[in-house]
Amino acid sequence: MVQGAVPPSVTQLIETFSELPGIGPKTASRLAFHLLRGRSEPAAPTQAPPTLAPPTLALRLAEALRNLVENTRFCSQCFNVTEQDPCPICADLARDHGLLCVVEEPLDLLALERTEQYRGVFHVLNGALSPMEGIFAEDLRIKELELRLAKGDIREVILATNPTSEGDYTAAYLLGRLKHSGVRVTRLGRGLPMGGDLEYADAVTLTRALESRQEL
Amino acid sequence: MVQGAVPPSVTQLIETFSELPGIGPKTASRLAFHLLRGRSEPAAPTQAPPTLAPPTLALRLAEALRNLVENTRFCSQCFNVTEQDPCPICADLARDHGLLCVVEEPLDLLALERTEQYRGVFHVLNGALSPMEGIFAEDLRIKELELRLAKGDIREVILATNPTSEGDYTAAYLLGRLKHSGVRVTRLGRGLPMGGDLEYADAVTLTRALESRQEL
């Protein structure tokens, strides 16, 4: 930043915004300057220094961030983000508590909920195994998963890790740890995505689609 | 959002993020869930409900937003965003206070400062005239500009509004209001941008480039 042209509190906000994923320095500075708008018109220069009406969006965002930190916790059963413990999904007796879907992140759980087809419960791992990034089995909630299975109420575990090399590796690792538990372990189907084009499908996707071809 | 799967404080943060320019619902939810990470590992499900270490990035962002609101104001001379009044640029006696560059926004001022070629002072209009969007002369700091010129210290005003129809309209309007002040009024040069390709230049840019052609 050019010395003098940008005050320190603006620079600080730009730098903090830049720490968010997908937000580069240009976007960060656009966001910061956007939040500086919408203030009351300053007084004429001959009068007292302009007083500012607080930019409401900046304050509301600060408030929403504080609320997030203060009100959310992890569900003690499935480790989804929640405000009550157990979370509304775990507390829902209408759901099938014998069917457990293992996902990497809360956003993956959300994607499955959006289908409105899944009526079991979840287990959020908090990521996928990635020795390259230093994420090992003890960093994920695998022990907690085994404790849940040890209670004997679960008849099927669906491994719904991402279709990436880390996700596949995590699923293979989990299968190794769970196969002696007597619980049925399944994996989400692989193949061509809806709306996809065969011409542009990558080789791995096509291979998986061939392998999982079905009788008509 | 799917009922139950996302707690209200997370939904609230997603909605607030979505109010920022260029941030859609998908990006907003990615940001919110990113801020939920980096917490302490929850206790095992058999123990007390997991307590959370506050996600530092969320709190630092909230703090940076509060600092922005509390510490920044408009410079009473140039109306740039500043923490001191007058701002470091207006207070710099080494700069040419007889040369005044009129810009729409603080980010435009910043772009000019980055050239390290301009040594005059600034006047931030707070936007451009746009009757379609309901932005009229009284919404911009034009009266304040006239008051500055009335003091008689300024010999040249450079109109550096954006090269858009609103910016050009604003510059033309300002010229009309300033031409009787006896101050020299100039406009930033127009033409082909550095690194541009003649083949892809639009007709208006080429027309301006022809009009402002220079003897070699």
Side-chain angles (χ1 to χ4, degrees):
Chain A
M1 280 295 153
V2 179
Q3 197 61 33
V6 183
S9 53
V10 179
T11 312
Q12 188 208 354
L13 181 61
I14 292 172
E15 282 166 6
T16 315
F17 267 135
S18 302
E19 290 181 48
L20 291 168
I23 305 228
K26 281 219 167 179
T27 308
S29 98
R30 201 163 37 84
L31 293 177
F33 281 98
H34 177 84
L35 290 169
L36 284 166
R37 278 184 215 143
R39 300 183 151 202
S40 70
E41 264 303 285
T46 44
Q47 298 173 15
T51 51
L52 307 172
T56 32
L57 182 53
L59 286 181
R60 280 191 294 117
L61 189 54
E63 186 64 21
L65 287 160
R66 287 205 169 270
N67 275 345
L68 182 84
V69 174
E70 281 161 19
N71 299 340
T72 61
R73 45 170 58 252
F74 291 117
C75 171
S76 60
Q77 293 181 27
C78 72
F79 301 96
N80 188 18
V81 173
T82 181
E83 289 187 11
Q84 312 127 334
D85 188 30
C87 76
I89 293 174
C90 288
D92 186 351
L93 296 176
R95 296 185 77 118
D96 181 354
H97 286 252
L99 182 62
L100 185 78
C101 183
V102 178
V103 293
E104 293 180 19
E105 300 280 357
L107 276 175
D108 303 327
L109 180 158
L110 197 56
L112 285 159
E113 280 295 280
R114 273 201 212 96
T115 66
E116 294 183 15
Q117 299 303 312
Y118 181 70
R119 299 303 299 158
V121 291
F122 291 95
H123 189 85
V124 181
L125 284 177
N126 193 33
L129 293 174
S130 174
M132 298 277 284
E133 290 178 47
I135 303 171
F136 301 101
E138 58 271 24
D139 299 315
L140 306 182
R141 295 183 192 111
I142 297 175
K143 207 169 287 172
E144 291 85 345
L145 175 63
E146 288 176 325
L147 281 167
R148 287 181 82 175
L149 294 183
K151 288 183 191 155
D153 298 331
I154 290 153
R155 57 173 201 285
E156 179 177 346
V157 169
I158 305 172
L159 299 177
T161 51
N162 283 325
T164 57
S165 49
E166 284 87 359
D168 283 347
Y169 175 50
T170 308
Y173 177 86
L174 286 174
L175 180 64
R177 274 181 71 162
L178 304 181
K179 68 181 167 194
H180 303 298
S181 65
V183 172
R184 186 182 172 207
V185 181
T186 57
R187 180 104 178 82
L188 287 186
R190 301 292 278 273
L192 294 167
M194 189 66 191
D197 191 325
L198 218 72
E199 186 181 345
Y200 300 115
D202 63 287
V204 178
T205 301
L206 270 180
T207 307
R208 295 283 156 80
L210 279 169
E211 284 166 1
S212 59
R213 66 189 183 276
Q214 291 176 319
E215 205 81 48
L216 288 178
Chain B
M1 280 295 151
V2 179
Q3 199 62 33
V6 182
S9 52
V10 180
T11 313
Q12 189 207 352
L13 181 61
I14 293 172
E15 282 166 5
T16 315
F17 268 134
S18 304
E19 290 180 50
L20 291 169
I23 306 229
K26 283 217 166 180
T27 307
S29 98
R30 200 162 38 84
L31 293 177
F33 280 99
H34 177 84
L35 290 171
L36 284 166
R37 279 183 215 145
R39 299 180 153 205
S40 70
E41 263 304 285
T46 45
Q47 298 173 14
T51 51
L52 307 172
T56 33
L57 182 53
L59 286 181
R60 281 191 294 121
L61 188 54
E63 187 62 22
L65 288 160
R66 288 206 169 270
N67 274 345
L68 181 84
V69 174
E70 281 162 19
N71 300 340
T72 60
R73 43 170 58 253
F74 292 117
C75 172
S76 60
Q77 293 181 26
C78 74
F79 301 96
N80 187 17
V81 174
T82 182
E83 289 187 12
Q84 310 128 334
D85 188 30
C87 75
I89 292 174
C90 288
D92 186 352
L93 296 176
R95 297 185 76 119
D96 181 355
H97 286 253
L99 182 61
L100 185 79
C101 184
V102 178
V103 293
E104 293 180 18
E105 301 279 358
L107 275 175
D108 304 328
L109 179 157
L110 198 55
L112 284 160
E113 280 296 281
R114 272 200 215 97
T115 65
E116 294 183 14
Q117 300 302 314
Y118 181 70
R119 299 303 300 160
V121 291
F122 292 94
H123 189 87
V124 182
L125 284 177
N126 192 33
L129 293 174
S130 175
M132 299 277 284
E133 289 177 49
I135 302 172
F136 300 101
E138 58 271 25
D139 300 314
L140 306 182
R141 295 183 192 111
I142 297 174
K143 207 171 286 172
E144 290 85 346
L145 175 62
E146 288 176 325
L147 282 168
R148 287 182 81 175
L149 295 184
K151 289 183 191 157
D153 299 331
I154 290 153
R155 58 173 200 283
E156 178 177 346
V157 169
I158 304 173
L159 299 177
T161 51
N162 283 325
T164 58
S165 49
E166 286 87 358
D168 283 347
Y169 175 50
T170 307
Y173 177 86
L174 286 174
L175 180 65
R177 274 182 67 163
L178 303 181
K179 68 181 166 194
H180 304 298
S181 65
V183 171
R184 186 181 171 205
V185 181
T186 57
R187 179 106 177 82
L188 286 186
R190 300 295 276 272
L192 293 167
M194 189 63 192
D197 190 326
L198 218 73
E199 185 181 345
Y200 300 117
D202 62 287
V204 178
T205 300
L206 271 180
T207 306
R208 295 282 155 81
L210 279 169
E211 285 167 1
S212 58
R213 68 189 179 278
Q214 292 176 317
E215 206 79 48
L216 287 177

